[in-house]
Amino acid sequence: MKQVRGLSRRSVRRRTGRVLVEGPQGVREAVRFVPERIRDLYVTREAAQRYADFVGPARDRGVFVHEASEEVLAAMCDADTPQGTAAVVDWTPTTLAAVLAREPRLLVLLTHVRDPGNLGTVIRGADAAGADAVLVSEGSVDVTGPKTVRSTAGSIFHLPVVTGLDVAATLTALDDAGVRRLAADGVGERTIDEVDLTTAHAWVMGNEAWGLEPDTRQACDDVVRVPIHGHAESLNLAMATTICLYTSARSQRVP
Amino acid sequence: MKQVRGLSRRSVRRRTGRVLVEGPQGVREAVRFVPERIRDLYVTREAAQRYADFVGPARDRGVFVHEASEEVLAAMCDADTPQGTAAVVDWTPTTLAAVLAREPRLLVLLTHVRDPGNLGTVIRGADAAGADAVLVSEGSVDVTGPKTVRSTAGSIFHLPVVTGLDVAATLTALDDAGVRRLAADGVGERTIDEVDLTTAHAWVMGNEAWGLEPDTRQACDDVVRVPIHGHAESLNLAMATTICLYTSARSQRVP
């Protein structure tokens, strides 16, 4: 139990290469998408009935399923209410090269994202929009942290997430791979509705508070803004990113 | 100070008709948009310099500006870090009739929204998308709560927010006013990209966990879904709402 609880610390996650997934939505998606990476699945007796849809399949796939009391589960977890289940999952990082080798059409690069909830929500939004991967720069919040993993609602197991990237090198690699780099920034002259989004591209997003670094913005192929029609100063990062990605998805998918 | 702190309780807000606005973004927008409703503005000596852009104008408009220490401000506020400023503002509710009298083109009706952060984020997104008002049903989280107000980032002063609405009566009133009612729901046969969004309409959104009540969905003119292109089960409420509203804004504004 102590070992599991330790996964709320980044140093322990790094050393062990494991992450803790809390709650039924995340555990279910781990069972569906990466059962071979699940080390241990914990579930209360009561919840085992409620979550038969994935506890049964998990056992069938050879996952170690342990019965745990509510108290033990709560002590393991970061969430106030893990809702009766949690799992320890191997974190297998992927690389930018692997992502680019699959000729992606739609990507997002988050630079210096600091809020775990924002990062998780962006991963969920990118998944929903059908993006090929989420790229996260160095100096960002840890994608394997409990709050980020929870906020993805299982999407962290649905699409590749590359972390620790150098921004300048990533922009160069994207260019070399024929992926247009679109800086999302309020200073953009054109809006997301006024640029061609049909070809392969990556949305490049800035930090929640200070936005994009000028060097990053200038290295991109275009600077594009989400239009603000009312009096709001801006949208939050997760909303702006999801709107950009959905606008792209529409452009790329409409026949 | 105790009186201000009391505003974190709904009963006190109801009795006094006042809300507490924490942090510079919210206070700034209150000064810009509703200075006559500000009862008191608190700011630390240090922050008064940093926020000269609105502290000066507040004084010019007759707002009572008080210097407060960091400790007093922290004790007043719900936020861990009120960032040096807060204000007590009169909450002046508006009505559905007043909103409809102005012939709105784009509205959102939230039914049984429960999370304060979601509600605040939707209000911010609705503002950004240029919606005419946000309608909130009875049985929803209190819009004047500190976390909701913070999450609006000042947008709560930018557009009308009507609360405590009966869902069925509101749907009837919208129909009578010639506003189409679009239920946003994953069961919709058509996506947001496949329906006509050029005429006046209201997006009708369900609860975070259980979605729309069947009765509500059936009372709407159309059921429409946000397309999910990847493996995500859904989007969160704030993101789904903002995508719907931005799709509407594009349809209504493109020449």
Side-chain angles (χ1 to χ4, degrees):
Chain A
M1 192 184 97
K2 262 193 181 168
Q3 282 186 332
V4 176
R5 179 65 185 152
L7 293 174
S8 66
R9 295 211 311 277
R10 184 172 188 162
S11 60
V12 175
R13 292 194 299 272
R14 286 214 165 163
R15 182 163 48 74
T16 60
R18 292 172 194 171
V19 302
L20 179 63
V21 180
E22 304 167 345
Q25 210 168 3
V27 175
R28 178 181 290 113
E29 298 310 299
V31 171
R32 289 180 61 201
F33 282 77
V34 293
E36 72 288 353
R37 279 166 45 193
I38 303 179
R39 290 278 172 163
D40 294 284
L41 193 162
Y42 302 90
V43 64
T44 63
R45 181 172 301 190
E46 188 265 327
Q49 310 275 324
R50 204 178 342 144
Y51 305 139
D53 69 298
F54 65 82
V55 172
R59 283 206 179 89
D60 295 345
R61 283 164 207 176
V63 170
F64 290 107
V65 177
H66 311 272
E67 191 177 299
S69 68
E70 281 288 358
E71 292 69 32
V72 166
L73 210 59
M76 272 181 193
C77 286
D78 174 82
D80 294 335
T81 52
Q83 299 175 261
T85 187
V88 175
V89 180
D90 284 335
W91 177 250
T92 52
T94 184
T95 64
L96 180 60
V99 166
L100 294 178
R102 276 176 282 176
E103 300 187 4
R105 305 255 302 145
L106 182 56
L107 298 170
V108 57
L109 168 61
L110 298 171
T111 66
H112 309 294
V113 56
R114 290 292 159 78
D115 180 78
N118 277 343
L119 176 53
T121 307
V122 166
I123 292 171
R124 182 177 177 183
D127 179 16
D132 296 295
V134 175
L135 314 178
V136 184
S137 80
E138 61 185 352
S140 294
V141 66
D142 182 15
V143 73
T144 62
K147 194 173 172 198
T148 303
V149 172
R150 279 203 305 278
S151 307
T152 71
S155 288
I156 197 164
F157 303 119
H158 293 165
L159 79 173
V161 180
V162 187
T163 62
L165 291 166
D166 178 84
V167 174
T170 303
L171 292 176
T172 302
L174 289 169
D175 194 31
D176 292 346
V179 177
R180 275 175 71 221
R181 293 88 35 101
L182 302 180
D185 194 304
V187 305
E189 281 188 21
R190 291 191 294 169
T191 72
I192 52 173
D193 302 317
E194 295 166 346
V195 291
D196 178 16
L197 299 173
T198 55
T199 58
H201 59 274
W203 287 103
V204 183
M205 314 298 298
N207 168 272
E208 291 94 334
W210 69 77
L212 278 171
E213 302 276 359
D215 286 357
T216 303
R217 191 167 55 223
Q218 281 153 26
C220 288
D221 298 297
D222 212 340
V223 184
V224 186
R225 66 186 157 82
V226 177
I228 301 288
H229 302 297
H231 300 291
E233 200 210 341
S234 63
L235 288 160
N236 77 29
L237 174 63
M239 288 207 296
T241 308
T242 307
I243 290 172
C244 289
L245 289 169
Y246 260 90
T247 306
S248 298
R250 179 191 300 107
S251 295
Q252 294 188 341
R253 285 162 192 266
V254 161
Chain B
M1 193 184 95
K2 262 193 185 167
Q3 283 186 331
V4 176
R5 179 65 185 151
L7 293 175
S8 66
R9 295 211 309 277
R10 184 171 188 163
S11 60
V12 176
R13 293 194 299 271
R14 284 213 165 162
R15 180 163 50 75
T16 62
R18 292 173 193 171
V19 302
L20 179 62
V21 180
E22 305 168 344
Q25 211 167 1
V27 175
R28 179 181 289 112
E29 298 309 301
V31 171
R32 288 179 61 202
F33 283 77
V34 293
E36 72 288 354
R37 280 166 44 193
I38 304 178
R39 289 277 169 164
D40 295 283
L41 191 161
Y42 301 90
V43 65
T44 64
R45 182 172 301 189
E46 188 264 328
Q49 310 276 322
R50 204 176 343 141
Y51 306 138
D53 69 297
F54 66 82
V55 173
R59 283 206 178 90
D60 295 346
R61 284 163 207 179
V63 170
F64 290 107
V65 177
H66 311 272
E67 191 177 301
S69 68
E70 282 288 358
E71 291 71 31
V72 166
L73 210 59
M76 273 181 191
C77 287
D78 173 82
D80 294 335
T81 52
Q83 299 176 264
T85 188
V88 175
V89 180
D90 284 336
W91 177 249
T92 53
T94 184
T95 65
L96 179 60
V99 167
L100 294 178
R102 276 175 282 176
E103 300 186 5
R105 305 257 301 145
L106 182 56
L107 297 170
V108 57
L109 168 60
L110 299 171
T111 66
H112 309 294
V113 55
R114 290 291 160 80
D115 180 79
N118 276 344
L119 176 53
T121 306
V122 165
I123 292 171
R124 183 178 176 183
D127 179 17
D132 296 296
V134 175
L135 314 178
V136 185
S137 81
E138 59 186 353
S140 295
V141 66
D142 182 16
V143 73
T144 62
K147 192 170 174 202
T148 303
V149 172
R150 280 203 305 279
S151 305
T152 72
S155 288
I156 197 164
F157 303 119
H158 293 165
L159 79 173
V161 179
V162 187
T163 61
L165 292 167
D166 178 84
V167 174
T170 303
L171 292 176
T172 302
L174 290 169
D175 193 32
D176 291 345
V179 177
R180 274 175 69 221
R181 294 88 35 101
L182 302 180
D185 195 304
V187 304
E189 280 189 22
R190 292 191 294 169
T191 73
I192 52 173
D193 302 316
E194 295 165 346
V195 291
D196 177 16
L197 299 174
T198 56
T199 59
H201 59 274
W203 287 103
V204 183
M205 313 299 298
N207 167 271
E208 291 94 334
W210 70 75
L212 278 171
E213 302 277 0
D215 285 358
T216 303
R217 192 169 54 224
Q218 280 153 28
C220 288
D221 298 296
D222 211 341
V223 184
V224 187
R225 67 186 157 82
V226 177
I228 302 288
H229 302 296
H231 300 291
E233 199 210 344
S234 64
L235 287 159
N236 76 31
L237 174 64
M239 288 209 296
T241 308
T242 307
I243 290 173
C244 289
L245 289 169
Y246 260 90
T247 306
S248 298
R250 179 192 300 107
S251 294
Q252 295 189 340
R253 284 162 192 268
V254 161

